[in-house]
Amino acid sequence: MNKRSFIKSLGLGLASIPVFGQGEALAMAGQVTSLLKGKVLKAGDTIGIITPASALPDEESITICKEVLTYFGFQVKEGKYIRERYGNLAGTDDQRLEDLHAMFADKGVAGILCIRGGAGASRLLHRIDYNMVAKNPKVLLGYSDITALIMAFQAKIGLVTFHGPVGTSTWSNYVANGFKEQLMENKLVTFQNPDKKGDNVVNYRDRITTLHPGVVEGKLLGGNLTLISGLCGSPYLPDFKDSILFLEEVSESPEKVDRMFCQLMNAGILKQIKGFVFGKCTDCNPSAGFGSLNLDQILRDYIKPLGIPAYSGAVIGHIADQFLLPVGVKVRMDANKGTIEFLEKALV
């Protein structure tokens, strides 16, 4: 049976299973044919806060997170185990998974904000109840290690999640406006690096570099480079065919960045994408010794030969002012201008 026949028969099979909802049946079959979208957030809604990765350093992290959500007019529900610690993790796998499941299952919770990233979210992926999540689609916001959840939910059930600030991020007016436009107003926005020229005649900060010119449309997928490369070979990465891939990184030496791009190349991911955006590589300093390639050389070696529209320098990553990107929706990317324009709404 060829691929097209298999997919057709799969669709007929799913249609004949009345006991499951569409999202649940798709999750069981391991195939995703359409997106699941949460509801638009509004003032007065309850937002759940969880720590699915690293432990929090102090109580102030929770206080700041709650103050941010109160600013937008939300009520806040704390995860039961957000103050726990298990080594470097925010509690055991059981505890962190219980908080994640509880927030999705709770009909009174409209959205979920991760207080921080760090490490450990990948440990949960094989135990998540994707069928339950598919029946309760809602906003999930975070970045860095939360990329593991973002990728898995897209791969398993087609849930649109959001790559953007965590609770302890710097919530500048730029970030707050992006939050309102995306999650509360459900706008079709166009993201472009903010103009920080100030009194200078040209902009010296957050400049973009066009790696290959052009305009392209496709499904937006991406997140942290370490997390995506680490999921290669697992069932928790979505299909990257005809997608626009965005990546960011922090505190990794250039030789490790090179190794991870090599992994994406060897896994065949780079050959599948139609467009590419690289954000910031924050604190990515060379190791001592003989030096290393720089980021420009790495992108030149792995991305330019693809001949697809691509640019670097987008305000995506471990920085204060950052894009808030819905993962899974269709976008148009202009590598000449450095813009990402959303062509479909991320919420319902």
Side-chain angles (χ1 to χ4, degrees):
M1 181 182 294
N2 62 33
K3 181 178 180 182
R4 181 170 297 181
S5 299
F6 171 75
I7 293 175
K8 182 177 180 181
S9 64
L10 175 66
L12 292 173
L14 290 176
S16 66
I17 306 177
V19 68
F20 299 119
Q22 181 187 30
E24 187 174 10
L26 290 171
M28 290 184 64
Q31 298 287 331
V32 175
T33 59
S34 61
L35 293 179
L36 288 174
K37 300 179 180 181
K39 294 181 179 179
V40 177
L41 303 180
K42 61 184 183 301
D45 281 345
T46 296
I47 306 299
I49 57 174
I50 59 173
T51 50
S54 287
L56 299 178
D58 48 42
E59 183 68 20
E60 188 172 274
S61 300
I62 299 173
T63 301
I64 290 174
C65 182
K66 293 169 74 171
E67 287 178 1
V68 166
L69 293 174
T70 300
Y71 166 82
F72 293 107
F74 298 125
Q75 305 296 315
V76 181
K77 180 173 182 177
E78 296 183 3
K80 181 179 178 180
Y81 297 108
I82 60 176
R83 293 174 179 82
E84 294 295 320
R85 180 183 291 274
Y86 178 68
N88 66 306
L89 304 175
T92 64
D93 292 350
D94 286 342
Q95 290 171 330
R96 290 178 291 118
L97 186 66
E98 183 178 331
D99 272 359
L100 178 69
H101 281 158
M103 291 303 179
F104 270 105
D106 190 336
K107 301 296 185 181
V109 172
I112 304 167
L113 174 63
C114 300
I115 305 178
R116 68 162 299 185
S122 295
R123 294 168 60 108
L124 307 180
L125 302 186
H126 69 292
R127 298 178 57 193
I128 291 174
D129 185 347
Y130 295 99
N131 297 331
M132 182 274 290
V133 174
K135 292 188 289 186
N136 299 279
K138 59 186 68 175
V139 167
L140 174 76
L141 174 60
Y143 79 118
S144 193
D145 199 66
I146 308 306
T147 297
L149 299 178
I150 290 172
M151 289 291 94
F153 285 139
Q154 180 64 208
K156 287 293 189 178
I157 57 176
L159 178 65
V160 175
T161 53
F162 294 83
H163 182 279
V166 291
T168 54
S169 293
T170 299
W171 286 77
S172 64
N173 287 328
Y174 180 85
V175 171
N177 288 336
F179 182 96
K180 290 176 182 176
E181 289 181 339
Q182 284 288 297
L183 303 183
M184 302 181 75
E185 299 170 0
N186 204 22
K187 288 184 177 180
L188 292 175
V189 301
T190 298
F191 277 109
Q192 186 171 24
N193 285 11
D195 184 2
K196 297 181 179 179
K197 184 166 55 179
D199 293 332
N200 301 312
V201 295
V202 298
N203 188 14
Y204 291 93
R205 298 178 57 192
D206 294 331
R207 296 176 62 88
I208 69 153
T209 298
T210 300
L211 303 172
H212 192 279
V215 179
V216 65
E217 295 181 3
K219 179 171 63 174
L220 185 68
L221 296 174
N224 180 261
L225 173 60
T226 294
L227 271 296
I228 291 177
S229 65
L231 290 174
C232 284
S234 79
Y236 306 112
L237 279 184
D239 183 0
F240 285 90
K241 181 176 174 56
D242 295 334
S243 68
I244 296 173
L245 173 64
F246 71 91
L247 296 171
E248 61 86 24
E249 193 49 84
V250 62
S251 300
E252 295 288 0
S253 63
E255 56 264 37
K256 291 183 179 179
V257 172
D258 177 74
R259 184 183 303 145
M260 290 185 282
F261 267 103
C262 189
Q263 172 75 347
L264 298 187
M265 178 187 69
N266 290 336
I269 290 174
L270 297 184
K271 289 183 179 180
Q272 298 179 55
I273 62 176
K274 293 174 63 178
F276 177 82
V277 178
F278 195 85
K280 301 296 185 179
C281 201
T282 306
D283 296 327
C284 295
N285 301 314
S287 301
F290 293 101
S292 65
L293 298 171
N294 60 38
L295 181 61
D296 290 341
Q297 292 170 319
I298 293 170
L299 295 177
R300 182 188 65 195
D301 289 345
Y302 290 102
I303 302 303
K304 288 195 71 173
L306 300 176
I308 59 176
Y311 78 96
S312 64
V315 289
I316 303 170
H318 290 68
I319 51 178
D321 291 341
Q322 60 174 294
F323 297 161
L324 196 159
L325 301 172
V327 175
V329 302
K330 187 176 181 180
V331 303
R332 178 183 297 118
M333 186 270 284
D334 188 326
N336 304 68
K337 297 178 180 178
T339 58
I340 303 173
E341 176 187 359
F342 297 100
L343 302 179
E344 67 172 306
K345 293 188 175 183
L347 299 171
V348 295

